[in-house]
């Protein structure tokens, strides 16, 4: 038995999540039974999609239950094992985040010995990286030489998408919400134009100025005004990969809608939504080249790290306040080695 | 020389078109020169897309010019010809509508001797029919056995789409704006469920009641609340063929937007806009089976006919008031034979 703190959903947020929607409790995790092993979580992923699971409604993934631990991607170290394939010291990727210790079983994924820091499997080499890859190349069918607009460019998905599009030989316009993020995107990800949407007067005009000929593809992480600006700026036969719409996740009641959807008809646009879990059977198709680009130094990663499970609610709220640059992580075990270029908060 | 009345755009409509946006003037049409022929127009098409051409803005088709005749699909009879391929009595399909007489040239299409009434080439066997066919089968990829919702079901495109979907073995839900239209759709087009959107309290609930399992495809002619209801009701991997959004064509300023577009992500929806002119090279693919179904009595047509060119503005305004059941036509030459099942106004 080991004492483990975990985060429960205390109440369902109405609008922006508040700290009192979450509660930290301590439980006893039993010793692993036959075929099981005990995991000490090291890294925990905090992602925008989790906001949707806080609603009690039908969706592509079941809602979080009240008074039960939240769930989400995590990487941990095997401490004690009764499973022949998992040895103490092995690093495991799994969905039992939001807690310090968890019991594991044979359905979990052991991290391969790639030399990449473990936390990258929650970002660049994990769900966000796969989302960027399949969104750009499969959903939007991005072609070499095209112009792509990527909103939420400083987020976990957006920052990978920018780099992948640049490797693919595309012209990239990205948006983000601070001058510091804009500087990072320009200097480190290779974005050709960066728009700080919080400081421009007119997002449509800023996008049009960055792409006078129009854009071929819009990778949407934000929705709302970003999506309207993209619809206005897309060329004939343009495509939208609808990955997420973070600007709307905390909307209460009926928000403001998208007013220029009629553009879809005259410009023959395609809007295609996707969830990366549909691509898990094709993950190697993305991970093999991405791992190579990572080792060649062509794909870089940055994270914002909150320390300790007691900071997880702040990390979640921070996602919607734009606190993170790159992947938002919680480090649950600070003596473990971190990935490169992390920024502690 | 022949005296011909034609309709000019007198001023650009702001919101719903008014009669004073149009002006009837009389011009002298010269005798045909070498390679030309003189056409007496018999049928003139009035279509929702023409509203877009009344704005002075860039679009997929140039705007109408002020103080110049409007343009649009028409069928006429050759009166006098200096072109070897066009003889007096031939019926010609062309784009010089909104006038009683026009000069023709070799770029125009002579109607084939199919035995189908000439006006059908402006409806069932013309642009609206092709729009229904390629929208359903190419853009939306409608499959046998699927459930499809077709808004604007009593319009020129919608009423053909309903029949094509039924021939294809699909379950069809249609919407329209009067009980009389609903009766026609149920009795004559084979629609399985018809929703009169003007009399239901809650379009979402009505659609959900008609399709408890959800819809696979939405063929959008209307936009607005219809589109929101469809987004709510679409199944996983559902598709929207975005053909038109007539509810928004007369919007002034920033209308109400589509508030639930986030559904696109979680349900992996695809919204695809299209303009039928992109399919002209494939028209035979649609017209061969459609002609056969027409001759077999499986595809039927209905028109609402205004008499005389002086009624053309009323016909145009009537489109947005729901005056038409089936194809909206203006008959310019009433001694000519009409297609079947026309309703004169």
């Amino acid at each position: 038995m080991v004492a483990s703190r975990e985060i429960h959903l205390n109440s369902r947020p109405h609008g922006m999540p508040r700290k009192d929607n979450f509660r930290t409790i301590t439980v006893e995790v039993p010793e692993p039974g036959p075929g099981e092993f005990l995991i000490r979580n090291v890294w925990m992923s905090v992602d925008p999609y989790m906001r949707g699971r806080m609603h009690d409604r039908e969706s592509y993934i079941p809602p979080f239950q009240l008074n039960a631990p939240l769930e989400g991607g995590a990487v941990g170290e095997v401490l004690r094992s009764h499973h022949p394939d998992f040895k103490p010291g092995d690093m495991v990727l799994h969905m039992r985040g939001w807690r310090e210790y968890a019991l594991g079983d044979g359905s979990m994924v052991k991290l391969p010995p790639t030399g990449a820091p473990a936390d990258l499997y929650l970002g660049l080499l994990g769900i966000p990286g796969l989302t960027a890859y399949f969104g750009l190349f499969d959903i939007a069918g991005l072609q070499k030489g095209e112009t792509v607009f990527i909103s939420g460019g400083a987020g976990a998905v957006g920052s990978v998408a920018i780099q992948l599009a640049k490797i693919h030989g595309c012209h990239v316009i990205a948006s983000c919400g601070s001058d510091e993020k804009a500087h990072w995107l320009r200097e480190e990800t290779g974005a050709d134009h960066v728009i700080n949407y919080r400081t421009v007067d007119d997002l449509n005009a800023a996008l049009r100025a960055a792409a006078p000929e129009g854009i071929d593809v819009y990778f949407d992480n934000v929705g709302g005004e970003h999506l309207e600006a993209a619809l206005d700026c897309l060329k004939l036969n343009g495509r939208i990969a609808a990955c997420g719409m973070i600007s709307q996740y905390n909307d209460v009641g009926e928000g403001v809608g998208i007013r220029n959807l009629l553009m879809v008809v005259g410009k023959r646009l395609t809007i295609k939504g996707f969830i990366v879990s549909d691509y898990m059977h094709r993950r190697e198709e993305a991970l093999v080249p991405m791992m190579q680009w990572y080792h060649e130094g062509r794909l870089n990663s940055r994270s914002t790290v909150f320390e300790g499970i007691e900071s997880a609610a702040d990390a979640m709220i921070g996602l919607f306040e734009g606190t993170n640059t790159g992947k938002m992580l919680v480090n649950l075990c600070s003596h473990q080695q971190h990935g490169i270029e992390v920024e502690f908060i």
Side-chain angles (χ1 to χ4, degrees), chain A residues 12-66:
Chain A
R12 300 194 182 280
H14 185 73
M16 177 70 107
R18 296 189 320 264
K19 286 193 77 162
D20 64 2
N21 297 129
F22 305 90
R23 189 175 44 178
T24 306
I25 68 160
T26 301
V27 298
E28 297 287 332
V29 175
E31 285 302 303
E36 292 183 333
F37 45 87
L38 179 68
I39 302 167
R40 177 168 56 195
N41 281 332
V42 180
W43 295 103
M44 183 191 120
S45 184
V46 179
D47 301 284
Y49 82 89
M50 294 173 175
R51 179 65 184 86
R53 296 190 70 182
M54 295 177 194
H55 293 291
D56 186 17
R57 69 180 176 206
E58 194 188 347
S59 182
Y60 64 95
I61 188 168
F64 290 132
Q65 297 303 304
L66 288 178

Side-chain angles (χ1 to χ4, degrees), chain A residues 58-108:
Chain A
E58 194 188 347
S59 182
Y60 64 95
I61 188 168
F64 290 132
Q65 297 303 304
L66 288 178
N67 304 312
L70 299 169
E71 295 167 8
V75 170
E77 178 186 1
V78 176
L79 293 185
R80 293 190 281 280
S81 176
H82 295 300
H83 191 292
D85 299 335
F86 293 82
K87 307 294 182 200
D90 284 349
M91 295 299 285
V92 176
L93 176 66
H94 62 91
M95 285 299 289
R96 295 192 188 152
W98 299 86
R99 68 202 84 182
E100 292 178 304
Y101 293 84
L103 286 181
D105 59 42
S107 70
M108 292 180 176

Side-chain angles (χ1 to χ4, degrees), chain A residues 161-199:
Chain A
I162 293 168
Q163 297 176 76
L164 290 175
K166 287 309 299 175
I167 289 171
H168 203 59
C170 293
H171 189 77
V172 179
I173 301 156
S175 72
C176 64
S178 79
D179 288 341
E180 190 203 334
K181 288 175 183 178
H183 179 78
W184 174 61
L185 291 182
R186 268 188 217 99
E187 298 300 316
E188 302 292 335
T189 69
D192 298 288
H193 293 268
V194 182
I195 297 167
N196 177 350
Y197 74 91
R198 294 193 205 232
T199 57

Side-chain angles (χ1 to χ4, degrees), chain A residues 21-322:
Chain A
N21 297 129
F22 305 90
R23 189 175 44 178
T24 306
I25 68 160
T26 301
V27 298
E28 297 287 332
V29 175
E31 285 302 303
E36 292 183 333
F37 45 87
L38 179 68
I39 302 167
R40 177 168 56 195
N41 281 332
V42 180
W43 295 103
M44 183 191 120
S45 184
V46 179
D47 301 284
Y49 82 89
M50 294 173 175
R51 179 65 184 86
R53 296 190 70 182
M54 295 177 194
H55 293 291
D56 186 17
R57 69 180 176 206
E58 194 188 347
S59 182
Y60 64 95
I61 188 168
F64 290 132
Q65 297 303 304
L66 288 178
N67 304 312
L70 299 169
E71 295 167 8
V75 170
E77 178 186 1
V78 176
L79 293 185
R80 293 190 281 280
S81 176
H82 295 300
H83 191 292
D85 299 335
F86 293 82
K87 307 294 182 200
D90 284 349
M91 295 299 285
V92 176
L93 176 66
H94 62 91
M95 285 299 289
R96 295 192 188 152
W98 299 86
R99 68 202 84 182
E100 292 178 304
Y101 293 84
L103 286 181
D105 59 42
S107 70
M108 292 180 176
V109 174
K110 196 158 67 174
L111 291 192
T114 58
D119 60 295
L120 289 198
Y121 289 91
L122 297 176
L124 179 63
L125 303 174
I127 294 294
L130 294 172
T131 302
Y133 187 96
F134 289 111
L136 281 181
F137 301 127
D138 199 86
I139 295 291
L142 185 67
Q143 302 295 313
K144 182 175 161 63
E146 288 190 323
T147 296
V148 54
F149 174 41
I150 299 168
S151 60
V157 173
S159 59
V160 180
I162 293 168
Q163 297 176 76
L164 290 175
K166 287 309 299 175
I167 289 171
H168 203 59
C170 293
H171 189 77
V172 179
I173 301 156
S175 72
C176 64
S178 79
D179 288 341
E180 190 203 334
K181 288 175 183 178
H183 179 78
W184 174 61
L185 291 182
R186 268 188 217 99
E187 298 300 316
E188 302 292 335
T189 69
D192 298 288
H193 293 268
V194 182
I195 297 167
N196 177 350
Y197 74 91
R198 294 193 205 232
T199 57
V200 294
D201 289 333
D202 180 338
L203 187 58
N204 285 43
L207 181 57
R208 181 60 70 179
E213 310 280 304
I215 59 176
D216 300 285
V217 164
Y218 173 47
F219 192 107
D220 191 15
N221 293 308
V222 172
E225 290 177 7
H226 276 79
L227 178 51
E228 288 188 335
L231 285 164
D232 270 348
C233 195
L234 275 158
K235 294 182 194 171
L236 214 63
N237 298 309
R239 295 93 68 197
I240 296 178
C243 174
M245 300 186 182
I246 194 170
S247 71
Q248 294 164 37
Y249 294 175
N250 294 310
D251 280 354
V252 173
E254 296 193 333
V256 172
I258 301 299
R259 294 159 295 188
N260 60 345
L261 206 61
L262 183 54
M263 295 281 179
V264 165
V265 179
K267 296 202 278 192
R268 297 85 152 161
L269 306 180
T270 301
I271 305 177
K272 207 163 157 50
F274 72 107
I275 300 288
V276 71
S277 53
D278 295 342
Y279 284 91
M280 285 302 122
H281 63 294
R282 290 173 57 185
R283 60 195 294 168
E284 291 305 311
E285 189 182 317
L287 288 179
V288 169
M290 288 174 72
M291 184 67 79
Q292 183 182 331
W293 293 325
Y294 168 72
H295 282 303
E296 292 170 357
R298 299 172 72 191
L299 260 186
N300 296 300
S301 173
R302 181 166 163 177
S303 303
T304 295
V305 177
F306 281 63
E307 280 294 322
I309 195 156
E310 62 278 14
S311 72
D314 287 325
M316 186 78 215
I317 294 165
L319 273 183
F320 301 105
E321 292 174 338

